[in-house]
Amino acid sequence: MRHYHQSVVNPFATTLGEEIFQAGLLPSDTDFRIFRDHGHVPGLDFDFMTTDSPIILNTTNLMKFLEEPFKTQEITCLLWSIANGKELEDPEPYAEGHVIFYDVCGWFLVFYTKTVGIALNYTFSVIGLIAITASVWSMAKKCGQSNLTVAKNFGIIFAIQLVSVLLAIGLNFAMAAFMDAVGSPLVWYGHPWALFGLYVCPTLFGLALLPSLYLEHTRKEILSLNAKSQLFAHSNCVVMILFTIIGTAMGIRSSYIFMLGVLFHTICIILNLLTMFQNKQFLWIFWNIMSQILPFLYFAYLGTFLIRTLIPMKGRGGMSGNPEIHICLLCFVFTWLATGFLTPVLYLFKMTRTITLNKIISENKNLILNEIGEDCKNEVLCKFPFFNHRWFKNRNSAYYFKAETQPKLPYFPKLTLKNKQTSSGKVKYEFQLTGPHHMGIFLAPVENSKISSWTFNTTMLDKNWKPPYFMYMSWGVDSSPYEFFVELETQSSNEPVLEIGIGGHWIFEPELFTEEYKQFLGLFPKFV
């Protein structure tokens, strides 16, 4: 991160994104992970994001990327800095440890070690609690009530605020479950604006409902509306302190986002105490709003970019998780962080305590879905040429659209049996394959046969994966035939022992797309 900080003028990095990826919530594996995990080859994994969506590098958009000088210049400077860094001379001292890092709206990068992060989180949490205690004491002194009386009121308000936060989370989860139940998940995939109605509004509703009811029913009590509104802001800070402490204790480095919320509200409290605005009607609002400008901008910036990054990526996750839950949780967190200390200001206005509900209408497309496996029980994978391992892994829960118009392909993949060798209990086939630049090989041994060896990586055989097996292959410039062998253990070499399927894909030839297929693609966002 030190090299990144020194080399990149406009940083775009966050620990939260790193931990989301490490938790498996961001399905963006690249070849880098294969080299790192299986080949133990170190390196750097680069990705970039345009104003439209995250981009996976291919030949076309790689050239567009390289045509933008500021990007290549920053990457070149970063690589040069790392290559000449002292870390490569003796990497052992730097082999372990984590860093907390985040950019501030692309202006500058903040980073520090995990140990420093733990100290900061606990320190600001303690300072925040001290500041809140001083504020409550000052409030009790001003209204002429005992500290115990005001503390009891603060305890009630804190409980209401804590329940409100949990209610907001519950409403979002309920909305996500409802969208799944009615068969309309991922409505936001093509219409990101729908997230505001689906998850942002329920968050605001959940956060404001109970406080609004409480203030309406306690208008004639000793504490003024100003005091109660400030106590709700303080109680929100205490909830964030709890999240900060619990997250830090669990080793979650992304807890820094809650620490930032605590930090800026603590600054607000201190300024209100120093200027004595706290006990003057409405003047405390000035420092409350001023102290939330930077946090609001940062959390809105970070939340927007994370959601815009996750939306396209969630289309790749298959059945590995429920994207509706992930997105709704992310919307809750950043809505709460951005508005949690601003909503108490709105409690001062009676009109804002009137709740209105809006209905969101989503557009439905009339498409006939067919389940895979309905009419192809006797074929290897129903003759479906799955494109990659994600499609293959999710095949039992997949659907397809039957094409009325077949594309006119220039040629088909060609598989040639070059040689067959038999020995006691074994048979070995040698093949030659030619075809387009993306192909899939599907292998399924028949009954009483077992694949014992082949040209490919042996992980599937060593770990006894259940057939059929799938191999994905692609080529760029070199289109020479691909040769491979498959060896099987069998009781009889004269009987069929292996079913093999070949799938070919033409993905860079738009002239082969049928009108029906083009219309189908038009139903999806541009990044698809």
Side-chain angles (χ1 to χ4, degrees):
M1 292 312 299
R2 179 174 62 84
H3 293 289
Y4 187 79
H5 174 258
Q6 295 173 348
S7 306
V8 178
V9 178
N10 301 110
F12 181 54
T14 172
T15 294
L16 181 58
E18 180 190 24
E19 291 195 320
I20 288 176
F21 175 78
Q22 291 174 345
L25 302 180
L26 186 64
S28 61
D29 278 355
T30 64
D31 294 339
F32 168 78
R33 188 186 66 81
I34 304 301
F35 285 117
R36 182 196 64 192
D37 295 350
H38 300 284
H40 306 291
V41 178
L44 297 172
D45 190 16
F46 288 101
D47 64 279
F48 69 97
M49 180 177 178
T50 69
T51 53
D52 294 323
S53 65
I55 298 296
I56 300 173
L57 288 177
N58 58 37
T59 306
T60 304
N61 54 41
L62 175 60
M63 295 308 298
K64 291 180 180 179
F65 173 75
L66 295 177
E67 287 172 1
E68 300 188 33
F70 76 93
K71 292 180 179 177
T72 53
Q73 182 179 1
E74 289 190 341
I75 290 180
T76 302
C77 291
L78 175 59
L79 293 176
W80 181 266
S81 178
I82 293 175
N84 291 277
K86 61 181 180 180
E87 293 85 357
L88 293 184
E89 297 177 2
D90 184 17
E92 192 63 30
Y94 311 96
E96 297 181 357
H98 291 285
V99 177
I100 297 171
F101 56 91
Y102 48 93
D103 73 285
V104 180
C105 300
W107 298 331
F108 57 89
L109 184 72
V110 178
F111 67 98
Y112 41 84
T113 64
K114 185 178 180 180
T115 302
V116 173
I118 293 173
L120 289 176
N121 288 356
Y122 287 138
T123 299
F124 287 128
S125 295
V126 172
I127 294 175
L129 290 174
I130 294 174
I132 291 172
T133 303
S135 177
V136 173
W137 175 82
S138 174
M139 201 175 295
K141 185 177 179 181
K142 177 65 178 179
C143 67
Q145 299 296 318
S146 67
N147 293 334
L148 182 60
T149 300
V150 178
K152 286 181 179 179
N153 278 270
F154 180 64
I156 295 172
I157 288 175
F158 167 73
I160 293 173
Q161 183 65 29
L162 179 60
V163 173
S164 296
V165 172
L166 298 177
L167 176 63
I169 298 174
L171 287 175
N172 273 11
F173 283 165
M175 179 62 74
F178 173 78
M179 297 303 292
D180 266 345
V182 299
S184 296
L186 278 72
V187 169
W188 38 262
Y189 190 73
H191 307 285
W193 53 263
L195 289 174
F196 181 80
L198 287 173
Y199 302 123
V200 175
C201 286
T203 298
L204 296 174
F205 176 80
L207 291 174
L209 177 62
L210 296 181
S212 297
L213 293 175
Y214 173 77
L215 293 175
E216 282 293 324
H217 287 82
T218 58
R219 286 179 294 176
K220 297 182 180 181
E221 289 190 0
I222 299 172
L223 291 180
S224 66
L225 184 60
N226 271 285
K228 292 174 186 175
S229 297
Q230 290 182 68
L231 291 179
F232 270 112
H234 295 348
S235 63
N236 188 67
C237 184
V238 175
V239 175
M240 286 196 180
I241 288 174
L242 290 177
F243 275 73
T244 303
I245 294 175
I246 293 172
T248 304
M250 294 175 62
I252 302 174
R253 289 174 290 140
S254 299
S255 302
Y256 82 88
I257 61 175
F258 301 110
M259 179 271 290
L260 291 179
V262 173
L263 170 63
F264 280 93
H265 185 67
T266 302
I267 293 174
C268 168
I269 296 175
I270 293 173
L271 290 174
N272 268 320
L273 289 173
L274 292 176
T275 58
M276 293 184 290
F277 281 7
Q278 172 181 282
N279 298 318
K280 295 180 180 179
Q281 192 172 20
F282 301 128
L283 288 182
W284 66 273
I285 298 175
F286 174 77
W287 289 123
N288 189 80
I289 293 178
M290 293 298 294
S291 67
Q292 289 303 308
I293 292 176
L294 288 178
F296 180 85
L297 291 175
Y298 174 70
F299 292 131
Y301 158 81
L302 180 59
T304 299
F305 272 99
L306 283 176
I307 289 173
R308 288 184 61 184
T309 301
L310 278 175
I311 285 177
M313 290 297 184
K314 284 302 177 182
R316 307 175 63 199
M319 301 298 292
S320 58
N322 189 338
E324 205 74 33
I325 295 296
H326 302 157
I327 292 294
C328 85
L329 185 59
L330 205 60
C331 287
F332 158 75
V333 169
F334 285 101
T335 302
W336 178 39
L337 288 170
T339 66
F341 293 106
L342 295 174
T343 49
V345 176
L346 301 179
Y347 299 155
L348 298 174
F349 305 97
K350 186 173 182 179
M351 287 299 296
T352 61
R353 302 199 292 270
T354 302
I355 301 168
T356 59
L357 300 178
N358 299 310
K359 183 174 76 173
I360 292 178
I361 302 174
S362 61
E363 180 183 3
N364 293 317
K365 298 292 182 180
N366 294 321
L367 296 173
I368 300 176
L369 297 177
N370 300 282
E371 289 189 11
I372 291 180
E374 287 182 342
D375 53 0
C376 50
K377 300 294 185 182
N378 299 320
E379 302 290 347
V380 177
L381 298 173
C382 309
K383 291 187 177 180
F384 271 86
F386 297 102
F387 181 72
N388 60 29
H389 68 282
R390 294 183 182 89
W391 297 13
F392 179 75
K393 184 169 60 176
N394 298 313
R395 62 190 182 274
N396 293 327
S397 57
Y399 294 85
Y400 69 96
F401 304 113
K402 187 174 182 180
E404 301 297 333
T405 306
Q406 297 298 321
K408 295 181 179 179
L409 301 178
Y411 58 90
F412 288 89
K414 182 179 180 181
L415 181 68
T416 305
L417 177 62
K418 303 295 291 185
N419 190 26
K420 176 182 177 181
Q421 300 176 10
T422 59
S423 60
S424 56
K426 290 189 177 182
V427 57
K428 180 179 180 180
Y429 296 99
E430 297 178 5
F431 298 98
Q432 184 182 81
L433 176 63
T434 58
H437 39 67
H438 288 74
M439 290 185 287
I441 303 174
F442 306 88
L443 301 173
V446 301
E447 191 176 357
N448 298 324
S449 297
K450 179 182 178 182
I451 296 178
S452 58
S453 180
W454 56 23
T455 305
F456 317 108
N457 184 286
T458 60
T459 299
M460 288 184 279
L461 301 180
D462 296 340
K463 294 187 176 182
N464 297 317
W465 286 19
K466 185 179 179 180
Y469 305 107
F470 168 65
M471 269 63 66
Y472 171 78
M473 63 171 295
S474 63
W475 53 264
V477 178
D478 185 6
S479 60
S480 58
Y482 178 71
E483 296 184 351
F484 65 96
F485 76 86
V486 180
E487 185 178 74
L488 300 99
E489 297 175 354
T490 180
Q491 296 178 358
S492 174
S493 59
N494 297 322
E495 298 291 333
V497 294
L498 175 68
E499 291 185 81
I500 182 169
I502 304 295
H505 298 272
W506 286 261
I507 57 177
F508 297 123
E509 292 85 5
E511 65 275 7
L512 300 178
F513 295 172
T514 64
E515 287 300 320
E516 180 187 14
Y517 183 61
K518 292 179 182 178
Q519 292 176 6
F520 176 70
L521 290 180
L523 301 176
F524 295 90
K526 291 182 179 179
F527 57 76
V528 177

